[in-house]
Amino acid sequence: MNYLLIAVLGYLIGSIPNGLLIGKNIYNVDLRQFGSKNIGATNAFRTLGLWPAFWVFFTDAAKGVIAVYASDFFIGTPIALLTGGIAAIIGHNWSVFLRFTGGRGVATGLGVIAVLVPQITAIIFLIWAIIVYITRYVSLASIVSAVLVPIFMWLWGEKIEFLYFGILAALFVVGRHKPNIERLLKGTELKIKVGNMSVNSKEK
């Protein structure tokens, strides 16, 4: 029963649609009507600019952090931490507040692993930033980084539960990016444009 409560709590935390709330309440823009129609940080960057995207990313990552710490507080076992973290990622992707739609889960997943394996998270984030800087493809950076997480966990000799989570999370992220992978292979995936600070309703 305790694990069920942790799962429900993590799911509700993850379900908070930060991108939608920030866009509508601060900028009077519904991100679901622009760009990729996604409420995540990448579409916020394309649609609203750098700082709105930063806050969307930060608050989405915070959901993963809070869910894991809450699980640690109430139960404290590795399985509890993973239960809360996975539930938060599921909530972000299939939010009860958005009729079970949502984002890709990358930022929230990063928040989860930031608590579980902070050193690996720092390395993964650096790799992600380098790939984005060189290619301008956020989706490619997210996919590569997700795949590298369990590899680094294995090399670092992390807990087997964390390794299994890393593998599951990598598969999850790659699966959620299937449309992006298809566009990358076709050469039609959108690149981010540095300095974009305004709403662009023509973005597809």
Side-chain angles (χ1 to χ4, degrees):
M1 183 61 69
N2 288 336
Y3 282 92
L4 178 60
L5 293 175
I6 287 297
V8 172
L9 177 62
Y11 174 79
L12 291 176
I13 292 172
S15 289
I16 300 171
N18 293 312
L20 181 64
L21 295 174
I22 291 172
K24 292 187 72 173
N25 294 325
I26 300 178
Y27 299 96
N28 198 30
V29 172
D30 187 340
L31 290 175
R32 298 172 298 178
Q33 298 178 5
F34 294 92
S36 65
K37 310 291 193 287
N38 193 284
I39 63 169
T42 301
N43 196 40
F45 177 80
R46 292 195 183 106
T47 306
L48 299 173
L50 178 60
W51 281 109
F54 168 80
W55 287 113
V56 172
F57 183 88
F58 179 82
T59 53
D60 280 347
K63 295 191 296 187
V65 173
I66 293 170
V68 174
Y69 273 124
S71 302
D72 186 39
F73 177 80
F74 287 112
I75 300 179
T77 65
I79 296 299
L81 271 60
L82 296 179
T83 299
I86 291 172
I89 296 171
I90 292 174
H92 178 79
N93 284 271
W94 294 284
S95 171
V96 67
F97 305 119
L98 298 176
R99 298 182 179 180
F100 302 102
T101 61
R104 297 284 192 267
V106 175
T108 303
L110 182 69
V112 173
I113 67 169
V115 179
L116 301 179
V117 286
Q119 290 181 329
I120 292 176
T121 303
I123 296 172
I124 291 296
F125 185 77
L126 178 61
I127 292 173
W128 177 89
I130 292 172
I131 295 175
V132 170
Y133 179 79
I134 293 173
T135 69
R136 295 292 189 261
Y137 287 126
V138 175
S139 58
L140 177 62
S142 299
I143 293 166
V144 172
S145 299
V147 172
L148 288 177
V149 168
I151 295 175
F152 277 102
M153 285 181 170
W154 177 71
L155 291 174
W156 252 256
E158 293 292 341
K159 294 184 178 70
I160 190 66
E161 296 94 341
F162 292 177
L163 176 59
Y164 288 154
F165 166 77
I167 295 172
L168 179 63
L171 293 173
F172 188 80
V173 169
V174 172
R176 291 289 288 173
H177 281 81
K178 182 180 177 181
N180 304 84
I181 294 172
E182 293 174 350
R183 289 194 294 269
L184 284 166
L185 293 174
K186 294 177 181 178
T188 58
E189 177 73 334
L190 291 172
K191 294 184 177 182
I192 61 169
K193 297 179 180 179
V194 177
N196 181 31
M197 297 298 290
S198 62
V199 173
N200 180 6
S201 60
K202 296 180 180 180
E203 190 82 18
K204 297 181 180 179

